[in-house]
């Protein structure tokens, strides 16, 4: 197995991989302070709140990073899912005039479009562990920045704290649910949750007789559906919010 956060690949056990990620992600949160605020999102006031917020944020980002890494088991799949997530951030950061993060989102989205031309089945180039982890980290950073932003009533698109959490979950729905399902399944069968197998959603669909292009199209469509559902819920809440203002 290989691990990579910065692009340098090293043969190591899973525990070393998570240690490496924990250190990198911890440094990121120490610098940016963009941790999940328990009081803001969950109305929680608990002892050691700052420490728990930090640890929860590190664990959550680690999960998001590895969900993107784990879904990268089929040509074009991880890049296609990542592109759907980036499409939202290009739109959102543009609407809030967050120019720096909008440029970052557009740059990576453009790179992925070019990459997919050679990564679509049958692929000529591949992400590898380094590439999929880079995507996971990049997308996680954009997500935490999105969650950190406190919407104003004057914003072109007002997204409440609760809605921002739901949208963030919608963005990562397919890779996140697949990763959680696999971990639960492996633990239930008394196997290591970090041991690879052929039970990912793309493996199951391939076993049913779908070809690679059909699987990528189906899972990407499912991802778009989940994102759309989170937006439909957000739109209903926005409509109610506007009615109350009137």
């Amino acid at each position: 197995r290989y691990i990579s956060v910065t692009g340098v690949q090293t043969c190591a056990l899973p525990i070393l991989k998570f240690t490496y990620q924990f250190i990198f992600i911890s440094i990121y949160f120490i610098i940016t302070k963009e941790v999940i605020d328990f009081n803001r999102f969950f109305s929680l006031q608990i002892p050691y709140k700052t420490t728990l917020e930090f640890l929860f944020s590190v664990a959550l980002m680690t999960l998001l990073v590895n969900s993107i890494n784990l879904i990268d088991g089929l040509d074009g799949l991880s890049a296609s899912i990542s592109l759907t997530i980036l499409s939202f951030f290009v739109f959102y950061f543009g609407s809030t005039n967050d120019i720096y993060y909008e440029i970052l989102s557009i740059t990576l989205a453009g790179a992925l479009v070019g990459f997919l031309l050679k990564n679509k089945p049958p692929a000529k180039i591949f992400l590898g562990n380094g590439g999929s982890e880079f995507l996971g980290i990049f997308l996680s950073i954009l997500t935490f920045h999105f969650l950190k932003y406190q919407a104003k009533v004057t914003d072109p698109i007002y997204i409440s704290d609760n809605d921002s959490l739901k949208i963030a979950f919608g963005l990562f729905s397919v890779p996140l649910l697949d990763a959680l399902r696999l971990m639960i399944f492996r633990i239930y069968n008394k196997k290591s949750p970090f041991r690879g197998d052929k039970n990912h959603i793309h493996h199951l669909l391939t076993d049913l007789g779908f070809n690679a292009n059909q699987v990528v199209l189906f899972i990407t469509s499912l991802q778009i559906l989940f994102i759309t559902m989170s937006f439909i819920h957000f739109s209903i809440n926005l409509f109610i919010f506007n009615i109350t203002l009137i």
Side-chain angles (χ1 to χ4, degrees):
R1 291 183 177 276
Y2 293 88
I3 65 168
S4 175
V5 172
T6 60
V8 179
Q9 295 188 335
T10 311
C11 184
L13 297 172
I15 189 66
L16 181 56
K17 171 182 177 177
F18 289 111
T19 301
Y20 193 2
Q21 291 177 348
F22 178 84
I23 293 171
F24 178 88
I25 293 171
S26 295
I27 293 172
Y28 167 76
F29 282 123
I30 290 171
I31 294 172
T32 65
K33 312 294 185 185
E34 293 190 338
V35 298
I36 298 293
D37 188 331
F38 283 175
N39 185 46
R40 177 184 163 201
F41 289 105
F42 309 115
S43 300
L44 289 177
Q45 287 289 354
I46 54 178
Y48 309 107
K49 177 173 169 288
T50 302
T51 301
L52 291 175
E53 285 174 342
F54 179 85
L55 293 175
F56 176 79
S57 299
V58 171
L60 180 58
M61 182 175 281
T62 302
L63 180 60
L64 295 181
V65 169
N66 285 286
S67 71
I68 297 296
N69 179 243
L70 290 171
I71 204 73
D72 183 36
L74 199 65
D75 296 344
L77 182 56
S78 184
S80 296
I81 287 176
S82 298
L83 191 58
T84 64
I85 298 173
L86 282 167
S87 298
F88 164 77
F89 287 129
V90 169
F91 167 74
Y92 178 76
F93 292 134
S95 70
T96 57
N97 291 318
D98 195 337
I99 303 302
Y100 178 72
Y101 280 86
E102 182 187 14
I103 291 174
L104 286 177
S105 302
I106 291 173
T107 301
L108 185 56
L112 277 180
V113 170
F115 175 77
L116 273 169
L117 294 176
K118 296 294 184 180
N119 183 241
K120 63 182 180 180
K124 297 181 177 63
I125 57 176
F126 307 91
L127 278 174
N129 276 333
S132 58
E133 285 189 36
F134 170 78
L135 278 180
I137 288 173
F138 201 106
L139 294 172
S140 298
I141 288 173
L142 295 177
T143 302
F144 273 82
H145 183 71
F146 162 67
L147 291 173
K148 183 67 175 179
Y149 180 76
Q150 291 187 294
K152 307 177 185 67
V153 177
T154 55
D155 286 345
I157 301 175
Y158 176 81
I159 301 179
S160 69
D161 293 339
N162 285 335
D163 284 331
S164 65
L165 272 179
K166 293 167 187 173
I167 290 173
F169 176 77
L171 293 173
F172 281 85
S173 53
V174 171
L176 194 56
L177 289 173
D178 188 51
L180 291 173
R181 179 187 63 83
L182 279 174
M183 288 183 182
I184 294 171
F185 178 81
R186 290 168 185 170
I187 293 171
Y188 178 78
N189 288 282
K190 299 179 180 179
K191 297 179 180 178
S192 169
F194 310 117
R195 183 178 180 179
D197 56 31
K198 296 290 185 179
N199 288 311
H200 287 275
I201 183 173
H202 46 274
H203 292 137
L204 299 178
L205 290 171
T206 302
D207 291 341
L208 288 174
F210 294 99
N211 62 40
N213 283 304
Q214 291 171 332
V215 172
V216 171
L217 179 61
F218 176 80
I219 295 178
T220 304
S221 299
L222 189 63
Q223 169 83 1
I224 294 171
L225 175 63
F226 276 121
I227 295 174
T228 303
M229 288 172 62
S230 68
F231 265 97
I232 289 174
H233 188 277
F234 155 68
S235 298
I236 293 172
N237 287 347
L238 181 62
F239 174 76
I240 295 172
F241 173 77
N242 287 333
I243 291 296
T244 60
L245 288 181
I246 296 173

